[in-house]
C-alpha cells in the first residue's frame, strides 16, 4: 500500500508537537511535550538540545502509534522550528557543546551594540541575511559561544564544531 500520511513537526519555544494527517488533510492524531526552560541569568534563555531532539522523536513516535501508522506509511514530513535558537555540537559525537541559546536571549547585547555603532549600522548585514543586527540574530549567538565556551572554540579549531538553528 502506498504511503498515506503526512507528519507535521512543530518544534517551538515551549514545546514540541507532532501531528499526523491523512493525505486528504484529515487529522488523525497529535502529541505534544513541554520543554524545560532554563534561565541561568536575567535576560538569558536556554534549552537542552538533547531534550529538544528527544521530545521531537517521542512526539513523532506517539502520534504515529495513536494514528496506527508506521514509518512506511509516511508520505512526507513538514517541519517548523524556533529558527534563531542557536546550538553548537560536535560533528563526530553529535553531542552539544552547550545548551541552545534561545531566540529571545539577550546576552549578546554588548556585541550587538558594537556592531550597530560600526560601519553600516543596524542594517549592516540586512542585504545578505534579511535581518537587522539584534540579539535575535543567530550570528551574534554563535560569536558568544565562540568567545565564552572553550569547548566550542576547541571544536572549531579541530573542525568538529557545527552550528545550527
Amino acid at each position: 500500500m502506498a504511503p498515506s500520511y503526512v507528519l507535521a513537526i512543530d518544534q517551538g519555544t515551549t514545546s514540541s508537537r507532532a501531528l499526523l494527517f491523512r493525505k486528504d488533510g484529515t487529522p488523525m492524531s497529535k502529541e505534544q511535550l513541554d520543554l524545560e526552560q532554563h534561565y541561568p541569568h536575567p535576560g538569558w534563555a536556554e534549552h537542552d538540545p538533547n531534550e529538544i531532539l528527544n521530545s521531537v522523536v517521542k512526539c513523532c513516535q506517539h502520534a504515529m502509534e495513536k494514528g496506527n501508522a508506521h514509518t512506511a506509511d509516511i508520505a512526507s514530513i513538514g517541519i517548523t522550528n524556533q529558527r534563531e535558537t542557536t546550538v553548537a555540537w560536535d560533528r563526530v559525537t553529535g553531542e552539544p557543546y552547550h545548551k541552545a541559546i534561545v531566540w529571545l536571549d539577550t546576552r549578546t547585547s554588548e556585541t550587538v551594540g558594537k556592531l550597530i555603532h560600526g560601519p553600516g549600522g543596524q542594517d549592516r548585514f540586512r542585504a545578505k541575511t534579511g535581518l537587522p543586527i539584534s540579539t535575535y540574530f543567530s550570528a551574534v549567538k554563535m560569536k558568544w559561544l565562540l568567545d565564552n565556551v572553550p569547548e566550542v572554540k576547541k571544536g572549531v579549531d579541530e573542525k568538529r564544531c557545527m552550528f545550527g538553528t
Side-chain angles (χ1 to χ4, degrees):
M1 187 166 150
S4 56
Y5 294 102
V6 173
L7 183 63
I9 300 169
D10 178 9
Q11 199 304 296
T13 306
T14 59
S15 67
S16 296
R17 289 163 293 287
L19 297 92
L20 185 67
F21 297 91
R22 285 192 188 134
K23 283 172 93 175
D24 68 5
T26 304
M28 297 300 296
S29 61
K30 66 180 178 178
E31 183 69 22
Q32 180 171 338
L33 292 171
D34 291 339
L35 292 177
E36 184 176 352
Q37 306 297 306
H38 301 272
Y39 302 104
H41 301 286
W44 291 26
E46 299 176 342
H47 288 156
D48 177 338
N50 286 322
E51 182 188 8
I52 293 171
L53 176 60
N54 293 335
S55 70
V56 169
V57 170
K58 285 179 186 175
C59 283
C60 292
Q61 290 171 336
H62 292 161
M64 290 171 56
E65 287 169 10
K66 288 178 182 178
N68 199 27
H70 304 282
T71 54
D73 299 324
I74 306 299
S76 64
I77 299 173
I79 302 172
T80 185
N81 68 6
Q82 298 183 45
R83 291 172 298 281
E84 294 298 320
T85 293
T86 304
V87 65
W89 72 95
D90 186 304
R91 72 170 19 181
V92 176
T93 67
E95 289 301 311
Y97 289 114
H98 189 271
K99 284 192 170 71
I101 302 176
V102 179
W103 60 270
L104 54 82
D105 186 287
T106 60
R107 75 183 71 188
T108 60
S109 295
E110 187 177 315
T111 300
V112 167
K114 288 176 184 174
L115 289 169
I116 287 173
H117 291 96
Q122 188 166 11
D123 291 324
R124 181 178 184 174
F125 303 112
R126 189 185 295 264
K128 289 186 180 188
T129 67
L131 294 170
I133 297 171
S134 74
T135 58
Y136 178 76
F137 192 44
S138 60
V140 293
K141 292 178 181 74
M142 291 177 201
K143 178 166 178 25
W144 187 93
L145 288 164
L146 279 164
D147 292 346
N148 294 279
V149 181
E151 296 84 2
V152 171
K153 175 74 170 98
K154 183 178 181 211
V156 168
D157 292 342
E158 294 175 353
K159 299 186 179 350
R160 292 173 59 127
C161 182
M162 303 292 289
F163 289 101
T165 59

